[in-house]
Amino acid sequence: MANHADAFKALAHPIRRDIVERLSGGAATVGEVTRGLAVSKPTISRHLRMLEEAGVVTRVVDGRTHRLSLDPATLAETEKWINSQRARWERLFDVVGEHLEERKRSK
């Protein structure tokens, strides 16, 4: 499984985020997911490859039909990391807030 850094890199581009958003409603074909994106097929392929390599998207090939879906395990791992960072920063902000309150009271 890819790590959360790979997932963040994959999600850094707006086209890839749009693809992920479209897949949030469920599995879809490559054509369904990329319809209306104003980029070439080779560009779409590069974006999809990056999402797949990062473990964000999986592909099942059935004949000529390629179905894409989100990999919930990768997204859950990324969410877990984000939540741990949020908790860490909230604790730091609490400490800074308490320090500022103490300074204000001591003046």
Side-chain angles (χ1 to χ4, degrees):
M1 181 198 324
N3 65 39
H4 60 266
D6 294 334
F8 287 125
K9 183 177 178 184
L11 295 171
H13 195 281
I15 288 176
R16 292 190 293 269
R17 287 192 306 269
D18 193 21
I19 290 169
V20 168
E21 187 175 330
R22 292 174 182 199
L23 286 171
S24 68
T29 66
V30 170
E32 292 167 342
V33 170
T34 61
R35 186 173 294 123
L37 297 176
V39 293
S40 68
K41 285 186 179 186
T43 299
I44 290 293
S45 292
R46 283 192 299 275
H47 284 301
L48 291 175
R49 188 176 324 111
M50 180 169 245
L51 288 167
E52 288 177 89
E53 289 173 357
V56 174
V57 170
T58 60
R59 179 189 306 240
V60 174
V61 180
D62 182 18
R64 294 180 56 192
T65 303
H66 292 230
R67 292 194 68 73
L68 303 171
S69 59
L70 295 178
D71 183 341
T74 299
L75 296 173
E77 188 64 32
T78 303
E79 179 186 24
K80 181 179 169 184
W81 185 85
I82 289 170
N83 288 336
S84 73
Q85 294 304 302
R86 178 183 298 124
R88 180 175 183 234
W89 281 100
E90 286 173 354
R91 284 191 306 272
L92 290 171
F93 289 139
D94 288 345
V95 168
V96 169
E98 289 169 11
H99 174 72
L100 293 174
E101 280 298 317
E102 286 178 22
R103 285 188 63 185
K104 193 162 79 173
R105 277 185 253 133
S106 66
K107 285 184 176 182

